[in-house]
Amino acid sequence: MGLFDRFKKQDCEICGKEVGMFGYKKLEDGEICKDCVKLLSPWFSDRRHSTVESIKAQIAYREENKKAVAAFKASKVIGKTTKVHIDEAAGKFMVVRTADIAAENPDVIDISAVTGCELDIRETTQEIKQTVDGKQESYNPPRFKYLYDFDVLITVNHPYFDEIRYNLSPGYVTINPYSGLGFMTRSVNPRSNREYMEYENMGEEIRNALLNPTPVQGGA
């Protein structure tokens, strides 16, 4: 009996829709369908420990957030793919991941709610190998190229999430310290790389904009 219960359809506790066993997600005290999950903030990560009532409250907040998105007047936009939009006059910001802002409905957050902002730069190495008799072999001594990934981490006081983490660069910034002749051209100093510095400066610009917002002239 218990085994068959696992295959029974369930009603979504949020919208009431009946869904199969693969069409819903667990809440602390019920189930939510995948369509309703899509209505939650993309930065929200505690679904399984949330009650039905708290999820309903979040969805109501997200619906109200659409008005804030429509009223948002960005005076500054920082980023390439995922972008931070800042409304300096209203003292608000939002992190936008797509071209269709209205459909995305990004959370509009007070800049005063920001408790921290940092750029997390991660370095990894990848061995450079040579082809000898059709096989990949290591150099002696081994050679490596360096890959850098840039994440922005914004911590906030918010009822439904406490951090926003996203990738600033669309891919790795790669630094190969070896020239085409096979010898090392320089010691590895990532700050001598134009692309590396572009993302580092971009992260610093976001940090300054959120932690040290420009006062609006003539404000009340």
Side-chain angles (χ1 to χ4, degrees), residues 101-116:
I101 297 178
E104 181 182 345
N105 190 25
D107 295 278
V108 177
I109 305 168
D110 289 337
I111 292 177
S112 61
V114 175
T115 59

Side-chain angles (χ1 to χ4, degrees), residues 84-115:
V84 176
H85 290 229
I86 300 172
D87 185 338
E88 293 169 298
K92 297 180 183 296
F93 80 98
M94 57 186 184
V95 177
V96 179
R97 302 179 299 165
T98 68
D100 192 341
I101 297 178
E104 181 182 345
N105 190 25
D107 295 278
V108 177
I109 305 168
D110 289 337
I111 292 177
S112 61
V114 175
T115 59

